[in-house]
Amino acid sequence: MNLLSFGSVNRDVVYHVDHIVREKETISCRNVTTGIGGKGLNQAIALSRAAGSACLAARICEKDGELLVFLHAQNVDTRFVEICPERTGHAIIQVDRRGQNSIIVAPGANAGFTPDYVERVFTEFRDGAVVLQNEINLIPEVMKKAHEAGNLILFNPSPFSDAILREYPLELVDIFVVNEVEGGAMTGEREPEKILRAMLEAYPSSKTVLTLGAEGSYFADRRVTIYQPAFRTEVVDTTAAGDTFLGYFLSSYTKNSDPKEALRLASKAAAIAVSKPGAAASIPFFEELA
Ligand code: RIB
């Protein structure tokens, strides 16, 4: 099945800190690193490394030609990437000593998608699987057009915003991938089993994957609930672990329709991602999972 990530590209500026800065506090960082990220780009790379190839629909500034070179080197098909005058998105990321992070995203070019662009993409990209996150504009439009073109839709509601519940055609989503924060915001529940039940009640024909970091992950639909413990590893940086999980899950699930195996593979890939620094740079190649 053809796979498309429709989403953001960011330049990540990472501040390595002892703890995530608190309200009214000023802190110094130990060092600063830069990298390539954005949930759309990370998920395209995870899909490509898991499945062998994937497309990315995104917007990149005309001054950032090296990002295209980078994507080609990762075997990401960039035929839908729009080169534009706006600044490429960027993210300010704090990573603490335990490898946990907090992220602020400045959308830049990620907020400039037009209905014409969406139409063009889905005139060509049909009957595949489309992965969406919430770092770009026009997501409701993208969901509708992706669905009309016969694509399976996987939605990762990150970063969460209230507009998702108010304005997005969530009944078109085939698979939700949420962490405990997003699952909690979508349902008002806190415990994993209750989140999964509430998701099924609200979206009875959708499947939900709930990721809980070190506490493992779940898959649930109307017929089964499956739990997968996390693989133990040294945590260096959790950035893009969720993106890695999602790419490996979808690649495996669309190949074998086996949610148990897809969860196992995705958990293994995410464990490797958290053991390395960076976003796109931490996503493992398929051979590393052997
Ligand atoms: O999921 C991690 C990503 O979130 C980072 O690469 C950052 O750019 C933000 O989009």
Side-chain angles (χ1 to χ4, degrees), residues 142-187:
V142 177
M143 284 181 172
K144 285 180 205 147
K145 294 291 175 192
H147 177 76
E148 281 166 24
N151 295 295
L152 185 96
I153 299 177
L154 186 145
F155 181 45
N156 172 214
S158 175
F160 184 81
S161 67
D162 291 340
I164 290 177
L165 296 175
R166 279 197 321 266
E167 295 162 20
Y168 290 25
L170 296 178
E171 68 284 358
L172 303 182
V173 174
D174 297 283
I175 308 175
F176 290 95
V177 179
V178 296
N179 65 16
E180 65 270 45
V181 175
E182 295 137 14
M186 299 253 328
T187 61

Side-chain angles (χ1 to χ4, degrees), residues 8 10 12 36-39 42 91 93 103 105 135 239-240 243 279:
S8 57
N10 291 332
D12 290 349
I36 297 173
K39 294 182 199 305
N42 295 339
I93 304 180
I103 302 178
V105 170
E135 281 185 346
T239 310
D243 302 330

Side-chain angles (χ1 to χ4, degrees), residues 124-136:
E124 195 175 330
F125 193 90
R126 311 182 74 83
D127 305 318
V130 177
V131 173
L132 300 170
Q133 320 77 26
N134 197 35
E135 281 185 346
I136 62 168

